[in-house]
PDB file of all heavy atoms in Angstrom:
ATOM      1  N   ASN A 480      81.208  76.795  93.757  1.00 87.00           N
ATOM      2  CA  ASN A 480      80.771  77.639  92.634  1.00 87.00           C
ATOM      3  C   ASN A 480      81.939  78.540  92.234  1.00 87.00           C
ATOM      4  O   ASN A 480      82.171  79.603  92.816  1.00 87.00           O
ATOM      5  CB  ASN A 480      79.562  78.478  93.034  1.00 87.00           C
ATOM      6  CG  ASN A 480      78.953  79.232  91.862  1.00 87.00           C
ATOM      7  OD1 ASN A 480      79.648  79.571  90.912  1.00 87.00           O
ATOM      8  ND2 ASN A 480      77.655  79.470  91.929  1.00 87.00           N
ATOM      9  N   GLY A 481      82.689  78.087  91.238  1.00 84.00           N
ATOM     10  CA  GLY A 481      83.921  78.783  90.872  1.00 84.00           C
ATOM     11  C   GLY A 481      83.703  80.213  90.451  1.00 84.00           C
ATOM     12  O   GLY A 481      84.455  81.111  90.851  1.00 84.00           O
ATOM     13  N   PHE A 482      82.681  80.477  89.656  1.00 88.00           N
ATOM     14  CA  PHE A 482      82.449  81.835  89.174  1.00 88.00           C
ATOM     15  C   PHE A 482      82.127  82.775  90.333  1.00 88.00           C
ATOM     16  O   PHE A 482      82.676  83.874  90.431  1.00 88.00           O
ATOM     17  CB  PHE A 482      81.304  81.831  88.158  1.00 88.00           C
ATOM     18  CG  PHE A 482      80.893  83.204  87.726  1.00 88.00           C
ATOM     19  CD1 PHE A 482      81.673  83.925  86.838  1.00 88.00           C
ATOM     20  CD2 PHE A 482      79.735  83.787  88.223  1.00 88.00           C
ATOM     21  CE1 PHE A 482      81.293  85.207  86.446  1.00 88.00           C
ATOM     22  CE2 PHE A 482      79.361  85.057  87.835  1.00 88.00           C
ATOM     23  CZ  PHE A 482      80.138  85.772  86.941  1.00 88.00           C
ATOM     24  N   ARG A 483      81.246  82.359  91.230  1.00 90.00           N
ATOM     25  CA  ARG A 483      80.868  83.220  92.354  1.00 90.00           C
ATOM     26  C   ARG A 483      82.059  83.485  93.258  1.00 90.00           C
ATOM     27  O   ARG A 483      82.278  84.619  93.716  1.00 90.00           O
ATOM     28  CB  ARG A 483      79.734  82.563  93.138  1.00 90.00           C
ATOM     29  CG  ARG A 483      79.241  83.408  94.311  1.00 90.00           C
ATOM     30  CD  ARG A 483      78.054  82.737  94.991  1.00 90.00           C
ATOM     31  NE  ARG A 483      78.440  81.471  95.587  1.00 90.00           N
ATOM     32  CZ  ARG A 483      78.957  81.354  96.828  1.00 90.00           C
ATOM     33  NH1 ARG A 483      79.123  82.430  97.565  1.00 90.00           N
ATOM     34  NH2 ARG A 483      79.272  80.183  97.303  1.00 90.00           N
ATOM     35  N   VAL A 484      82.850  82.459  93.515  1.00 91.00           N
ATOM     36  CA  VAL A 484      84.007  82.611  94.398  1.00 91.00           C
ATOM     37  C   VAL A 484      85.027  83.563  93.784  1.00 91.00           C
ATOM     38  O   VAL A 484      85.581  84.438  94.464  1.00 91.00           O
ATOM     39  CB  VAL A 484      84.634  81.218  94.672  1.00 91.00           C
ATOM     40  CG1 VAL A 484      86.002  81.369  95.314  1.00 91.00           C
ATOM     41  CG2 VAL A 484      83.722  80.396  95.561  1.00 91.00           C
ATOM     42  N   LYS A 485      85.286  83.419  92.500  1.00 90.00           N
ATOM     43  CA  LYS A 485      86.255  84.308  91.842  1.00 90.00           C
ATOM     44  C   LYS A 485      85.736  85.737  91.770  1.00 90.00           C
ATOM     45  O   LYS A 485      86.510  86.696  91.904  1.00 90.00           O
ATOM     46  CB  LYS A 485      86.567  83.773  90.447  1.00 90.00           C
ATOM     47  CG  LYS A 485      87.364  82.484  90.443  1.00 90.00           C
ATOM     48  CD  LYS A 485      87.891  82.127  89.070  1.00 90.00           C
ATOM     49  CE  LYS A 485      86.775  81.716  88.137  1.00 90.00           C
ATOM     50  NZ  LYS A 485      87.296  81.249  86.829  1.00 90.00           N
ATOM     51  N   LEU A 486      84.436  85.901  91.588  1.00 92.00           N
ATOM     52  CA  LEU A 486      83.866  87.252  91.527  1.00 92.00           C
ATOM     53  C   LEU A 486      83.987  87.949  92.881  1.00 92.00           C
ATOM     54  O   LEU A 486      84.256  89.157  92.946  1.00 92.00           O
ATOM     55  CB  LEU A 486      82.405  87.182  91.089  1.00 92.00           C
ATOM     56  CG  LEU A 486      81.716  88.527  90.818  1.00 92.00           C
ATOM     57  CD1 LEU A 486      82.452  89.286  89.713  1.00 92.00           C
ATOM     58  CD2 LEU A 486      80.250  88.323  90.454  1.00 92.00           C
ATOM     59  N   ILE A 487      83.808  87.202  93.954  1.00 92.00           N
ATOM     60  CA  ILE A 487      83.975  87.793  95.291  1.00 92.00           C
ATOM     61  C   ILE A 487      85.415  88.252  95.488  1.00 92.00           C
ATOM     62  O   ILE A 487      85.674  89.345  96.018  1.00 92.00           O
ATOM     63  CB  ILE A 487      83.560  86.780  96.371  1.00 92.00           C
ATOM     64  CG1 ILE A 487      82.051  86.523  96.312  1.00 92.00           C
ATOM     65  CG2 ILE A 487      83.954  87.275  97.758  1.00 92.00           C
ATOM     66  CD1 ILE A 487      81.584  85.429  97.253  1.00 92.00           C
ATOM     67  N   ALA A 488      86.383  87.429  95.061  1.00 91.00           N
ATOM     68  CA  ALA A 488      87.792  87.811  95.180  1.00 91.00           C
ATOM     69  C   ALA A 488      88.086  89.059  94.365  1.00 91.00           C
ATOM     70  O   ALA A 488      88.791  89.974  94.827  1.00 91.00           O
ATOM     71  CB  ALA A 488      88.678  86.652  94.724  1.00 91.00           C
ATOM     72  N   PHE A 489      87.555  89.112  93.156  1.00 90.00           N
ATOM     73  CA  PHE A 489      87.790  90.258  92.288  1.00 90.00           C
ATOM     74  C   PHE A 489      87.200  91.528  92.891  1.00 90.00           C
ATOM     75  O   PHE A 489      87.838  92.592  92.897  1.00 90.00           O
ATOM     76  CB  PHE A 489      87.166  89.982  90.921  1.00 90.00           C
ATOM     77  CG  PHE A 489      87.944  90.534  89.774  1.00 90.00           C
ATOM     78  CD1 PHE A 489      89.140  89.956  89.386  1.00 90.00           C
ATOM     79  CD2 PHE A 489      87.480  91.637  89.070  1.00 90.00           C
ATOM     80  CE1 PHE A 489      89.859  90.462  88.312  1.00 90.00           C
ATOM     81  CE2 PHE A 489      88.193  92.160  87.999  1.00 90.00           C
ATOM     82  CZ  PHE A 489      89.390  91.564  87.620  1.00 90.00           C
ATOM     83  N   ALA A 490      85.971  91.424  93.409  1.00 92.00           N
ATOM     84  CA  ALA A 490      85.309  92.597  93.987  1.00 92.00           C
ATOM     85  C   ALA A 490      85.999  93.057  95.256  1.00 92.00           C
ATOM     86  O   ALA A 490      86.178  94.271  95.487  1.00 92.00           O
ATOM     87  CB  ALA A 490      83.841  92.270  94.268  1.00 92.00           C
ATOM     88  N   LEU A 491      86.419  92.111  96.108  1.00 92.00           N
ATOM     89  CA  LEU A 491      87.096  92.483  97.351  1.00 92.00           C
ATOM     90  C   LEU A 491      88.441  93.127  97.069  1.00 92.00           C
ATOM     91  O   LEU A 491      88.809  94.141  97.691  1.00 92.00           O
ATOM     92  CB  LEU A 491      87.271  91.252  98.240  1.00 92.00           C
ATOM     93  CG  LEU A 491      87.946  91.482  99.595  1.00 92.00           C
ATOM     94  CD1 LEU A 491      87.172  92.509 100.412  1.00 92.00           C
ATOM     95  CD2 LEU A 491      88.081  90.175 100.364  1.00 92.00           C
ATOM     96  N   GLY A 492      89.208  92.565  96.137  1.00 91.00           N
ATOM     97  CA  GLY A 492      90.490  93.171  95.776  1.00 91.00           C
ATOM     98  C   GLY A 492      90.312  94.574  95.216  1.00 91.00           C
ATOM     99  O   GLY A 492      91.087  95.486  95.544  1.00 91.00           O
ATOM    100  N   ALA A 493      89.294  94.769  94.378  1.00 92.00           N
ATOM    101  CA  ALA A 493      89.040  96.100  93.826  1.00 92.00           C
ATOM    102  C   ALA A 493      88.658  97.086  94.928  1.00 92.00           C
ATOM    103  O   ALA A 493      89.077  98.255  94.901  1.00 92.00           O
ATOM    104  CB  ALA A 493      87.930  96.011  92.779  1.00 92.00           C
ATOM    105  N   THR A 494      87.881  96.642  95.906  1.00 93.00           N
ATOM    106  CA  THR A 494      87.472  97.517  97.012  1.00 93.00           C
ATOM    107  C   THR A 494      88.669  98.010  97.799  1.00 93.00           C
ATOM    108  O   THR A 494      88.779  99.205  98.133  1.00 93.00           O
ATOM    109  CB  THR A 494      86.502  96.770  97.933  1.00 93.00           C
ATOM    110  OG1 THR A 494      85.369  96.320  97.176  1.00 93.00           O
ATOM    111  CG2 THR A 494      86.026  97.658  99.066  1.00 93.00           C
TER     112      THR A 494
END
Side-chain angles (χ1 to χ4, degrees):
N480 188 332
F482 173 76
R483 182 176 64 86
V484 167
K485 290 191 290 185
L486 187 60
I487 292 174
F489 216 73
L491 181 58
T494 303

